[in-house]
Amino acid sequence: MKIEIKTLIEKITLEFDNEEYFRKIHAEITEALLDDLNVKGVYYEKGNSGIMLPALLLKNSIISIQKESDASPLFS
C-alpha cells in the first residue's frame, strides 16, 4: 500500500506495511484537505525518519492511492 503526493517540484511516496497505519494517515490527509484554516497537517513516520505534510502542500498536490502492491493507482 502506498500514497503518492505529487507537487510541482517533487514526488513524495508514503509506503505502508500496516493496514491500520495506512487508514490513520489516509484519515489525517482527508482531515487536512477539509481544513478551512489550513492549520492541520500529516506527520508520516517510517523507520528512523519522518516527514511533515502541511494542509496547504496537500491541497496543492495530486494525491494517488495504491492499495495493492501490484495494482495501478485508484486515482491519479
Side-chain angles (χ1 to χ4, degrees):
M1 295 171 284
K2 65 182 173 179
I3 298 174
E4 292 182 348
I5 301 165
K6 296 176 188 173
T7 68
L8 290 175
I9 57 173
E10 68 180 321
K11 179 172 121 178
I12 303 164
T13 302
L14 311 178
E15 296 190 29
F16 304 90
D17 299 326
N18 181 326
E19 177 83 20
E20 184 178 325
Y21 189 49
F22 171 81
R23 290 186 184 274
K24 177 185 178 292
I25 295 297
H26 184 275
E28 288 180 10
I29 289 172
T30 302
E31 188 176 345
L33 290 172
L34 297 173
D35 179 24
D36 291 336
L37 299 176
N38 298 319
V39 295
K40 301 210 183 227
V42 177
Y43 185 73
Y44 169 79
E45 188 173 17
K46 183 152 185 166
N48 293 332
S49 63
I51 184 171
M52 182 64 185
L53 304 165
L56 283 176
L57 175 89
L58 295 169
K59 288 180 180 184
N60 291 300
S61 301
I62 297 172
I63 301 172
S64 302
I65 298 171
Q66 188 173 349
K67 285 280 284 182
E68 301 291 329
S69 59
D70 59 348
S72 60
L74 297 174
F75 301 102
S76 44

